[in-house]
Amino acid sequence: MNRRTFLLGTGGTAIAAGGIIGSSAFTSVNADRVADVQVVGDESAYLQLEPTTEPNGDYAAIGTDGALELQMELVNPLAESNFEQVFTVTNNGNQDVGVWFEPQGDNPGLIDFTDNDTGDPLDDDTAPVTIAVGNSVTVDIFVDTSTVGDGTEIIDELTIIADADEAAP
């Protein structure tokens, strides 16, 4: 190849490449990609929630919709009731998460959720409990009905929050 043809070819390629790189304007792009997003029950999810196999695990169950349900409808009035090892929260994700609970209902201040191993509260959004990837927390529940009588609703919903931004470093 002679030198002049090589230089013209190289120059033409550089101009064409410069035109492609230099112009970032386009009107639209439609690009299909493969995606697989599926809903699974709490027993199989990234944040796995499931009753324990301990006796108090009977106070939790997986409902027909696949979600964990607490079944504590017969708590004594004017009493303090402690339920150890009711359910577990397992981090099946790919990063550590800070976890806390937000009970809702008429009297959420009458119920406490704690980490069975450490005694750390799980219902304090200012101090989330960190669950490392592949690890679990077993949940204890304490209900204080010493100031309320028969028929008092404590909570009707429990929100469990897991946030990677809130995990301890």
Side-chain angles (χ1 to χ4, degrees):
M1 172 185 283
N2 73 33
R3 186 170 186 242
R4 184 174 295 164
T5 306
F6 176 75
L7 289 175
L8 286 174
T10 305
T13 302
I15 291 169
I20 292 170
I21 294 171
S23 172
S24 61
F26 61 89
T27 302
S28 81
V29 172
N30 185 356
D32 292 331
R33 299 292 185 266
V34 174
D36 187 10
V37 179
Q38 297 179 10
V39 177
V40 296
D42 282 345
E43 291 178 301
S44 304
Y46 290 128
L47 188 69
Q48 179 180 3
L49 309 171
E50 65 181 339
T52 67
T53 57
E54 300 299 321
N56 286 336
D58 290 344
Y59 294 109
I62 300 298
T64 56
D65 61 357
L68 181 80
E69 297 176 358
L70 294 180
Q71 302 173 340
M72 307 176 91
E73 298 159 350
L74 303 175
V75 177
N76 293 68
L78 305 171
E80 294 178 348
S81 303
N82 192 35
F83 304 89
E84 294 182 351
Q85 301 176 339
V86 178
F87 66 97
T88 60
V89 179
T90 303
N91 180 0
N92 290 326
N94 59 10
Q95 55 189 330
D96 297 352
V97 292
V99 174
W100 69 95
F101 297 179
E102 292 180 352
Q104 289 111 34
D106 292 344
N107 296 288
L110 300 180
I111 191 167
D112 292 313
F113 298 89
T114 57
D115 178 337
N116 177 264
D117 290 332
T118 65
D120 291 339
L122 289 163
D123 46 11
D124 181 358
D125 64 346
T126 64
V129 171
T130 297
I131 305 177
V133 174
N135 289 345
S136 299
V137 168
T138 301
V139 179
D140 295 345
I141 302 173
F142 177 77
V143 183
D144 181 0
T145 60
S146 61
T147 59
V148 297
D150 189 18
T152 302
E153 178 186 283
I154 307 299
I155 64 171
D156 57 13
E157 188 173 314
L158 177 64
T159 301
I160 300 171
I161 300 160
D163 188 339
D165 291 336
E166 298 294 329

